[in-house]
Amino acid sequence: MKCSVFIATSTDGFIAKPDGNIDWLMAAGNSQVDLGDEADMGFNHYIKSVDCMIMGRKCMEMIDSMNLTSDQWPYGELPIYVLSNSLKDVPSGLKDKVNMYSGDIKALISRLEKQGHKHAYIDGGNTIQGFIDLELINELTITRAPVLLGEGISLFGKTSKDIKLEQSQVKSFANDFVQESYTVNYTNHK
């Protein structure tokens, strides 16, 4: 199964402030610019390319805190699996939208493949790091907001070896955001 990431960070690589706050993301960049067809910076095209989603508990809790209406829900009917070893019940605001999963990540991937899934969207800092550690992420799309936070929750953590990123593509947007895309190569690196 293909596993990919589509995420925003600060220019210095943080996905949130130390307390988990992401308000900086909504305030970053030039809000006076009309992005036209690129207003979502490729998210809708990306979400149509995946057939399931796996996220971490903290990511789910952040989404739950937004109190999104049905019209605001960005994931449509996408099956969503939330990884958590501590939380067993789905928050009331996300009933019928997410499924909780506790256990081995490779076993989950195998189960999803048996169900016919071919491309998973992976979201949440610890979850992305865990998938990278298991060499499961195939593609990364990182949209960098034009802001320096100086500290916070990093997208990437310590790795056991160098991981080569290839086939780079970069796109800049009129609002000063920059999007980088890569394929991930885990072979032949120490």
Side-chain angles (χ1 to χ4, degrees):
M1 172 184 288
K2 177 179 173 180
C3 295
S4 63
V5 171
F6 191 102
I7 196 164
T9 71
S10 63
T11 298
D12 49 353
F14 298 108
I15 57 173
K17 288 189 175 180
D19 64 359
N21 182 304
I22 61 168
D23 289 348
W24 55 270
L25 185 57
M26 305 313 158
N30 183 346
S31 62
Q32 304 303 310
V33 174
D34 180 6
L35 292 174
D37 293 343
E38 296 183 326
D40 69 349
M41 291 185 251
F43 180 77
N44 288 328
H45 176 74
Y46 173 77
I47 205 76
K48 289 175 187 172
S49 76
V50 300
D51 56 18
C52 63
M53 182 175 188
I54 302 168
M55 71 172 66
R57 176 187 55 82
K58 290 178 186 174
C59 183
M60 177 201 65
E61 289 173 345
M62 176 59 68
I63 292 168
D64 185 43
S65 74
M66 294 177 186
N67 296 313
L68 300 173
T69 66
S70 296
D71 291 341
Q72 295 170 319
W73 184 250
Y75 310 114
E77 299 296 318
L78 199 63
I80 300 174
Y81 298 86
V82 177
L83 305 179
S84 178
N85 291 322
S86 60
L87 187 64
K88 303 298 179 208
D89 297 319
V90 175
S92 60
L94 296 177
K95 294 275 188 214
D96 302 321
K97 290 185 178 173
V98 302
N99 306 287
M100 300 303 295
Y101 179 82
S102 176
D104 184 74
I105 291 174
K106 288 187 176 183
L108 174 61
I109 294 295
S110 179
R111 185 173 99 191
L112 293 173
E113 285 176 326
K114 287 177 184 166
Q115 293 173 359
H117 294 287
K118 296 186 180 342
H119 185 185
Y121 173 11
I122 312 304
D123 201 11
N126 289 336
T127 300
I128 292 167
Q129 289 175 21
F131 271 68
I132 288 172
D133 288 344
L134 293 171
E135 299 185 0
L136 293 172
I137 297 295
N138 306 101
E139 295 177 352
L140 294 166
T141 300
I142 304 165
T143 305
R144 297 201 184 267
V147 61
L148 299 173
L149 299 180
E151 67 177 341
I153 300 168
S154 179
L155 172 57
F156 300 111
K158 184 178 179 182
T159 59
S160 60
K161 64 179 184 177
D162 292 348
I163 299 168
K164 188 175 183 180
L165 303 179
E166 302 175 328
Q167 300 177 6
S168 64
Q169 297 180 358
V170 178
K171 179 174 182 131
S172 60
F173 296 94
N175 63 351
D176 298 325
F177 282 67
V178 176
Q179 190 172 80
E180 307 165 2
S181 299
Y182 305 96
T183 59
V184 183
N185 180 348
Y186 298 99
T187 59
N188 300 321
H189 290 34
K190 295 180 181 184

